[in-house]
Amino acid sequence: MEIIENIASMQAFAERKRMEGKLMGLVPTMGSLHEGHLTLIREAKSRTDIVVVSIFVNPTQFGPGEDYDSYPRDLEGDARKVISAGGDMIFSPSASDMYPEGYLTYVDVGKVTEPLCGLSRPEHFRAVATVVNKLFNIIKPHKAFFGQKDYQQSVVIKRMVKDLNMDIDIIVLPTVREPDGLAMSSRNSYLSEEERKVSPVLYKSLTIASCMIRDREKNARKILSAIKRMIEKEPLVSIDYIAITDSETLKDIDEIKGKTLIALAVRIGKMRLIDNILTEPQGS
Ligand code: PAF
């Protein structure tokens, strides 16, 4: 598998493929690929001609004290996985090429970056929107593929694409989970055996909350309390946030009417894990 590291070469490759009439797909990642990423690559391959997988651990989206330096990196292993899933090209630029000296420009998507993960990671979504915008400019995809696990990220990117009139289809695919329900993440490998054992409580509590909504419980506060009670039974887990929001604006709701997002972030040991579920009352 050819790996392009140089921005100009990537732009030239993408331009050539577009001129040949190829439909370009992009799967943006930070590497350390798992089954969730591979599902995105397979889906991209079924919907486009040329699938580029970007592998770039974006320094600007890690806050102070976060795990940028220790974030798992394995370009060779990732290349094998990209081939097995049908990807055509890896784009893996250096941080100094992406952010050369004098770099100044950032994309601020506004309100949807503020709640949920934005509360404890205030610069995060500005950095994500910026790097994704840069990847879109370099790779010029017709379609880009993201996972629902990072639901807020997908809302931010869809908003950016709409507001800035970018001619790109954003496709969000369901979260891929371990057999016990834990959402797949490159960071799961950091969990100790004991921490890993308690981690399915996230999805269990979301599933119970979703059942309550499907059974027409309308009171968001009652549902939030049920999730909280369940998570608090696990002493290794501490809650960052649990929220029930409108699925597009990400604004908290008190009364559940239609399509609803239940999202949470917790800390288990040193790790911060996020998960979410989209749900709605039965028959609505
Ligand atoms: O979801 C991720 O892995 C990253 O946030 C992304 C979209 C690749 C941007 O760095």
Side-chain angles (χ1 to χ4, degrees):
M1 150 110 2
E2 198 190 336
I3 299 177
I4 300 185
E5 292 179 345
N6 178 279
I7 293 176
S9 306
M10 185 66 240
Q11 279 173 319
F13 173 85
E15 190 57 29
R16 208 164 53 242
K17 292 297 168 196
R18 273 193 164 240
M19 296 294 280
E20 289 169 12
K22 303 288 190 207
L23 207 58
M24 301 289 292
L26 168 63
V27 181
T29 81
M30 297 205 298
S32 188
L33 303 181
H34 52 67
E35 191 50 37
H37 297 114
L38 303 189
T39 304
L40 297 179
I41 298 171
R42 283 187 212 108
E43 188 65 22
K45 192 61 193 174
S46 75
R47 298 200 202 188
T48 60
D49 299 318
I50 302 287
V51 176
V52 178
V53 179
S54 63
I55 296 183
F56 177 60
V57 185
N58 177 32
T60 59
Q61 71 187 70
F62 290 77
E66 289 186 358
D67 56 347
Y68 174 69
D69 289 331
S70 60
Y71 195 84
R73 291 162 171 89
D74 175 18
L75 194 53
E76 264 180 43
D78 284 346
R80 282 194 292 276
K81 291 178 191 165
V82 171
I83 294 172
S84 76
D88 297 290
M89 179 62 74
I90 290 176
F91 175 53
S92 186
S94 68
S96 56
D97 278 354
M98 288 293 269
Y99 302 106
E101 231 182 277
Y103 188 90
L104 283 178
T105 307
Y106 288 87
V107 180
D108 191 341
V109 184
K111 287 260 176 273
V112 287
T113 68
E114 289 167 10
L116 309 178
C117 290
L119 291 171
S120 56
R121 306 184 81 191
E123 301 293 319
H124 176 73
F125 290 111
R126 179 180 183 253
V128 168
T130 303
V131 78
V132 170
N133 194 333
K134 284 170 70 70
L135 293 169
F136 285 174
N137 287 336
I138 295 166
I139 299 161
K140 310 176 186 74
H142 295 92
K143 297 177 191 291
F145 297 78
F146 296 86
Q148 190 195 311
K149 183 183 149 259
D150 296 298
Y151 186 84
Q152 187 173 12
Q153 168 171 284
S154 71
V155 169
V156 169
I157 289 162
K158 280 185 189 165
R159 188 78 249 168
M160 172 183 80
V161 163
K162 193 165 184 205
D163 289 353
L164 298 183
N165 308 98
M166 296 169 146
D167 192 11
I168 302 172
D169 229 2
I170 301 301
I171 293 149
V172 181
L173 297 180
T175 304
V176 178
R177 299 181 178 281
E178 300 289 352
D180 62 7
L182 177 65
M184 286 198 186
S185 160
S186 308
R187 289 181 168 113
N188 288 351
S189 59
Y190 295 150
L191 293 169
S192 70
E193 206 177 314
E194 220 184 334
E195 290 164 355
R196 175 65 187 82
K197 261 192 211 148
V198 299
S199 58
V201 73
L202 273 70
Y203 187 55
K204 264 191 214 147
S205 65
L206 288 172
T207 311
I208 286 171
S210 170
C211 287
M212 290 172 78
I213 290 179
R214 292 185 66 73
D215 289 346
R216 298 175 170 283
E217 175 57 68
K218 288 193 169 12
N219 186 329
R221 226 190 280 167
K222 270 194 192 163
I223 300 163
L224 289 170
S225 304
I227 302 175
K228 193 162 176 268
R229 270 199 308 277
M230 203 166 158
I231 294 180
E232 282 177 347
K233 280 190 192 141
E234 296 294 351
L236 290 181
V237 185
S238 67
I239 296 168
D240 179 351
Y241 69 79
I242 310 168
I244 297 186
T245 78
D246 177 275
S247 61
E248 280 178 29
T249 62
L250 305 183
K251 283 189 180 144
D252 283 339
I253 50 179
D254 297 325
E255 191 192 338
I256 288 136
K257 290 180 185 139
K259 203 164 178 186
T260 301
L261 173 75
I262 315 171
L264 51 78
V266 304
R267 287 187 190 279
I268 305 186
K270 283 192 188 139
M271 285 292 308
R272 184 172 178 278
L273 298 183
I274 57 171
D275 204 348
N276 67 78
I277 204 165
L278 277 173
T279 190
E280 58 191 325
Q282 231 157 22
S284 70

